[in-house]
Amino acid sequence: MRVLANQLGKKIGKQVELRGWVHRLRELGGKQFIVLRDMSGLVQIVAEPDKVDGKLDVETVISVKGIVKKDERAPGGFEVHGAIEVQGESAPDWPFHRYMSTELQLDKRHLWLRSTKMQAAFKIRQTILSASRDFLAKQGFWEVAPPILVSSACESGSTLFELEYFGSKAYLSQSSQLYLEAFLPSLERVWALTPSFRAEKSRTRRHVTEYWHLEPEAAWVDYEQNMTLQEDMLKHIIKQLLDKSSDALAEFGDRAAELEKWRKEKWARMRYGDVIDKLKPKFPKLKWGDDLGTKEERYLVDHLDSFVFVTHYPREMKAFYMKVDEEDTKLVLNNDLMAPHVGEAIGGSEREWKLDLLKENMKIHKLKSADYEWYLELRKYGSVPHSGFGLGIERLMMSLLKLEHIRETLPFPRFMNRVYP
Ligand code: 4AD
Ligand code: MG
């Protein structure tokens, strides 16, 4: 029976069958040394030339029958000595070499997915998502299915992808939030994981045009409880990563100490106004009312060496649905969560749940009521105080894995200049 590369510990001295792809190969002293890759990891295979049935190249699919030996020098700590049978040939011109450009990794993405880095990133994503699901279920949230083809903007109209929809206009969703709000009188606490789309014209290290958006929305939750929920969820994710994904995590260097630190301490909450004051000496041109850019956000988290919630942004800067702070109506009851190494990873807020105040906000944001008729009706029939947030899964991965660029978090990242392959 077939075993996986990471199951050899219990098979020392025994005969096993392995299947997988040739990750690396070389000949040494008349013997074939192959690093075989399967979904679980890598293992070194040693075969005499007469025990190889077929032509070997990088990415050839093979099956191996042999004896497991312990070997500290081999990847994973084991070697399998035996015979190799070729099941699927591979052309000799595999495009990746030791020194290769990022462009090549993007042009040949369909093949680059086989790299150990990508393989580890996919495993980390799975742990993050199952930990989130697990956490939200325990917190009494229902997972729901909002639409992706939508009729109006949730966030800024300037980043909407428009499409022709049977003779009229439709858009690709930027956020499920408005639809999630419609579920509240039915399920009270809901969440969704969907692709979100932003027609981002700028090229930065943390923007893609298509990303995975995890959005909870809950009745009778205020903006402070909303932050507690975010902090608890992310700490649960970190714990699960440390407990369940240490092998995949190791592909990204020594992440455990920093993750452990973030998990243990309480995350600071700072008002936008205080953040501006704090950043002023370093960024003299920054003034109240300015958006925080990547540089400012990074400085803040580097300085604090942890996650930090920034609250009470100026009303004009933020979306129309955010609840105005009654103590200072220039501000909204919101939070951005700044994550180390990346900056904003979550945007959240208490929502304006009163019809007249919501209409007033829409006026300030120059939005037409007619475009949001259904959304306004939610305030007409049994509206309830509520809050929610949106987590960018890729931004979170960048932070937790300390990645320089968002492309490393996605199998097929989409940018302004790339939708291929
Ligand atoms: O701050 P944003 O725009 O908030 C919303 O869309 C809210 N309606 C969410 C909600 O309250 N339910 O986006 C939320 C998060 C950001 O903090 C960021 O992590 C991610 O989505 N994000 C992007 N990630 C990658 N590339 C982009 N172009 C992104 N735009 C937003
Ligand atoms: Mg935001």
Side-chain angles (χ1 to χ4, degrees):
M1 212 180 56
R2 182 202 179 187
V3 294
L4 291 170
N6 71 348
Q7 295 170 332
L8 298 179
K10 292 189 194 113
K11 302 277 179 186
I12 297 166
K14 299 213 171 101
Q15 171 88 21
V16 295
E17 183 190 348
L18 289 155
R19 281 182 219 155
W21 288 257
V22 174
H23 195 66
R24 287 194 290 270
L25 80 165
R26 71 196 154 101
E27 247 184 86
L28 203 72
K31 285 184 193 162
Q32 276 288 356
F33 286 80
I34 288 170
V35 175
L36 172 141
R37 182 188 73 247
D38 65 20
M39 65 170 164
S40 76
L42 304 175
V43 57
Q44 181 150 288
I45 311 295
V46 185
E48 304 289 340
D50 63 340
K51 293 276 175 58
V52 179
D53 175 16
K55 187 166 111 14
L56 293 178
D57 282 291
V58 172
E59 294 305 311
T60 300
V61 180
I62 55 174
S63 101
V64 176
K65 291 199 175 95
I67 304 287
V68 182
K69 297 191 175 169
K70 221 172 149 56
D71 190 326
E72 299 300 339
R73 294 159 304 172
F78 304 99
E79 255 180 12
V80 174
H81 292 243
I84 297 173
E85 187 190 320
V86 170
Q87 293 193 332
E89 287 191 0
S90 182
D93 58 347
W94 181 245
F96 303 113
H97 301 283
R98 195 178 177 83
Y99 301 100
M100 63 192 132
S101 68
T102 312
E103 279 311 297
L104 184 71
Q105 291 175 8
L106 290 167
D107 289 341
K108 302 279 180 197
R109 203 62 167 186
H110 47 297
L111 302 177
W112 182 244
L113 300 194
R114 308 174 189 195
S115 64
T116 45
K117 257 284 171 54
M118 282 269 107
Q119 194 185 39
F122 305 151
K123 290 180 179 176
I124 299 276
R125 177 180 286 261
Q126 137 99 8
T127 303
I128 290 174
L129 296 183
S130 70
S132 312
R133 200 162 252 128
D134 182 63
F135 174 85
L136 289 164
K138 280 200 194 104
Q139 293 281 326
F141 280 78
W142 303 89
E143 186 174 0
V144 296
I148 304 297
L149 291 169
V150 299
S151 52
S152 50
C154 178
E155 302 300 316
S156 153
S158 67
T159 62
L160 265 185
F161 275 111
E162 189 180 304
L163 54 103
E164 215 248 25
Y165 194 75
F166 305 109
S168 59
K169 270 186 202 169
Y171 309 96
L172 292 177
S173 169
Q174 298 172 308
S175 160
S176 299
Q177 180 198 320
L178 306 187
Y179 291 94
L180 291 176
E181 290 182 61
F183 285 92
L184 297 188
S186 169
L187 296 172
E188 298 187 27
R189 291 159 82 79
V190 297
W191 72 283
L193 173 68
T194 60
S196 276
F197 300 88
R198 306 282 168 114
E200 299 283 357
K201 296 216 175 68
S202 56
R203 291 185 70 178
T204 78
R205 50 182 286 276
R206 58 178 198 170
H207 285 94
V208 275
T209 53
E210 176 182 336
Y211 69 97
W212 287 84
H213 206 172
L214 191 154
E215 298 177 279
E217 193 73 29
W220 292 293
V221 167
D222 67 21
Y223 78 102
E224 286 184 315
Q225 294 163 329
N226 194 33
M227 283 188 273
T228 303
L229 192 68
Q230 294 164 46
E231 184 168 343
D232 290 349
M233 185 171 94
L234 263 50
K235 286 179 172 174
H236 178 74
I237 291 172
I238 293 174
K239 174 94 169 58
Q240 295 283 299
L241 270 182
L242 289 165
D243 289 352
K244 293 189 179 160
S245 293
S246 51
D247 286 353
L249 217 46
E251 276 291 320
F252 301 92
D254 188 8
R255 300 297 304 132
E258 194 168 40
L259 293 178
E260 210 39 90
K261 172 183 177 299
W262 294 340
R263 193 175 76 77
K264 287 206 178 114
E265 62 199 14
K266 174 124 182 65
W267 299 351
R269 298 179 182 187
M270 293 174 73
R271 286 174 165 253
Y272 165 88
D274 296 334
V275 168
I276 295 292
D277 292 343
K278 196 180 171 71
L279 294 177
K280 198 106 197 160
K282 177 81 187 164
F283 304 93
K285 282 196 197 128
L286 196 67
K287 56 180 191 314
W288 200 92
D290 289 347
D291 215 340
L292 301 176
T294 313
K295 271 196 240 117
E296 290 85 359
E297 290 180 5
R298 269 195 102 165
Y299 177 79
L300 189 69
V301 287
D302 285 353
H303 211 70
L304 291 169
D305 201 16
S306 188
F307 285 80
V308 53
F309 291 100
V310 181
T311 67
H312 299 88
Y313 276 69
R315 180 182 193 174
E316 273 86 10
M317 262 170 63
K318 289 292 180 185
F320 74 98
Y321 52 73
M322 290 188 182
K323 187 167 169 55
V324 168
D325 182 2
E326 277 164 25
E327 285 166 25
D328 182 348
T329 55
K330 291 192 302 302
L331 309 177
V332 282
L333 299 178
N334 80 314
N335 78 266
D336 277 359
L337 175 65
M338 305 303 172
H341 314 306
V342 55
E344 183 194 335
I346 290 183
S349 78
E350 204 163 318
R351 318 304 192 190
E352 186 46 75
W353 59 286
K354 295 200 168 129
L355 185 60
D356 49 338
L357 297 178
L358 183 61
K359 281 186 167 163
E360 198 181 300
N361 282 356
M362 289 179 70
K363 242 185 228 143
I364 291 176
H365 286 87
K366 300 195 171 61
L367 297 172
K368 287 195 285 258
S369 295
D371 293 340
Y372 294 87
E373 219 163 336
W374 70 264
Y375 184 68
L376 291 168
E377 272 191 17
L378 301 178
R379 272 58 179 171
K380 193 171 154 195
Y381 303 103
S383 188
V384 65
H386 63 283
S387 298
F389 65 89
L391 164 68
I393 297 298
E394 292 74 19
R395 295 271 182 95
L396 179 65
M397 283 177 73
M398 284 179 76
S399 174
L400 301 182
L401 305 179
K402 199 175 177 182
L403 298 174
E404 248 329 290
H405 203 286
I406 196 163
R407 64 177 166 246
E408 295 170 63
T409 67
L410 281 162
F412 295 100
R414 266 69 177 103
F415 306 103
M416 189 182 168
N417 60 351
R418 181 175 292 279
V419 280
Y420 175 91

